[in-house]
Amino acid sequence: MNAFRFLGDMTHLFSVLVLLLKIYATKSCSGVSRKTQELYMVVFVARYMDLFTDYISLYNSVMKVVFITSSAAIVWCMRRHPQVRRTYDRDQDTFRHVVLVAASFVLALIFNERFTFREICWAFSIYLEAVAILPQLVLLQRSRNVDNLTGQYVLFLGAYRAFYILNWIYRYFTEGHTSRWIPWIAGLVQTALYADFFYYYFLSWKNNVKLELPA
Amino acid sequence: SSSEPVKDEL
């Protein structure tokens, strides 16, 4: 495992920890899109079904369990926790996320590495992950006051994607895999979605003002 | 194995 891959996994892990910390410490999920969290839960379950069939490393297995359980815990808090659920911005989190699920599924049926149940699930999870942040970005744009932790959550998620691209470039030159166009294209789309956010995050940091995305 | 290069990622 190269350093880029490891840094990617760590920033991904940090993003989840930041979000759990925000929800736990403030007992509030304001500014957090439940739809994005539900999409991530679907992504992780679809992709990590190999948890019991393909062992790669203890590191991989532990991370898979962490990502599935943490996303489930966040969704559970936002739906069931007596205090947290009341802070959910239901009226602003209106993105039609079912459309993303359906579109990703159709794409996975057409573009996959093999027409098997597992490969279709894997491709589906790659496509869905690429667009799962959209409800969160729309919600950020609608909320006038983005709190620091929510901003950092999205920043870490974006960093995770950027590090994974560097990881693929590194692997391309050291191992030479050229046929992996599904994660490459989906990964580039996914990272591009953060470009706008990175720009405004940088501006708010540079000018030392609160993050606000233009409508 | 080299035929499964990316699925060792998360």
Side-chain angles (χ1 to χ4, degrees):
Chain A
M1 181 164 53
N2 63 67
F4 300 121
R5 153 87 196 274
F6 183 68
L7 283 170
D9 287 345
M10 289 304 109
T11 44
H12 194 185
L13 191 61
F14 282 149
S15 75
V16 175
L17 291 178
V18 163
L19 192 57
L20 280 170
L21 177 77
K22 173 206 152 75
I23 293 175
Y24 187 78
T26 64
K27 294 286 181 288
S28 159
C29 63
S30 72
V32 179
S33 167
R34 194 179 78 196
K35 304 203 165 182
T36 283
Q37 296 306 316
E38 287 170 348
L39 291 180
Y40 280 133
M41 200 173 85
V42 172
V43 165
F44 295 140
V45 170
R47 190 177 311 162
Y48 300 154
M49 283 193 305
D50 64 359
L51 195 53
F52 302 104
T53 53
D54 293 271
Y55 179 80
I56 293 163
S57 65
L58 182 64
Y59 171 86
N60 267 37
S61 299
V62 169
M63 293 292 269
K64 287 174 180 179
V65 171
V66 166
F67 286 131
I68 292 175
T69 51
S70 58
S71 61
I74 291 165
V75 170
W76 183 88
C77 275
M78 296 186 76
R79 282 186 172 276
R80 297 267 180 266
H81 191 283
Q83 287 154 279
V84 175
R85 61 185 286 195
R86 270 182 275 150
T87 62
Y88 172 47
D89 304 320
R90 189 181 305 271
D91 300 332
Q92 294 192 305
D93 192 20
T94 55
F95 198 97
R96 301 278 296 274
H97 64 332
V98 181
V99 174
L100 298 179
V101 175
S104 302
F105 185 68
V106 171
L107 263 184
L109 286 178
I110 305 168
F111 303 105
N112 50 64
E113 294 187 349
R114 222 173 280 165
F115 200 80
T116 61
F117 179 71
R118 276 180 48 177
E119 287 298 327
I120 289 167
C121 281
W122 181 79
F124 165 71
S125 81
I126 296 287
Y127 300 138
L128 190 59
E129 188 190 351
V131 291
I133 195 65
L134 283 175
Q136 179 65 65
L137 290 177
V138 169
L139 181 59
L140 277 187
Q141 214 168 49
R142 289 179 181 168
S143 350
R144 289 294 84 187
N145 271 324
V146 182
D147 66 78
N148 290 337
L149 285 173
T150 308
Q152 276 152 15
Y153 166 66
V154 180
L155 186 76
F156 276 128
L157 265 185
Y160 144 60
R161 294 316 306 179
F163 278 125
Y164 255 67
I165 297 235
L166 293 175
N167 158 52
W168 293 335
I169 293 171
Y170 180 85
R171 293 189 76 170
Y172 174 78
F173 285 111
T174 54
E175 300 166 34
H177 305 299
T178 53
S179 58
R180 291 286 164 154
W181 52 272
I182 288 180
W184 272 91
I185 293 172
L188 283 172
V189 169
Q190 187 173 353
T191 312
L193 291 179
Y194 290 92
D196 212 41
F197 173 84
F198 278 148
Y199 174 71
Y200 289 107
Y201 194 94
F202 172 74
L203 280 189
S204 84
W205 171 78
K206 200 183 79 174
N207 302 327
N208 203 18
V209 293
K210 241 181 160 17
L211 175 65
E212 200 175 287
L213 302 183
Chain B
S1 81
S2 62
S3 63
E4 292 284 325
V6 176
K7 290 190 181 75
D8 58 357
E9 291 176 351
L10 293 166

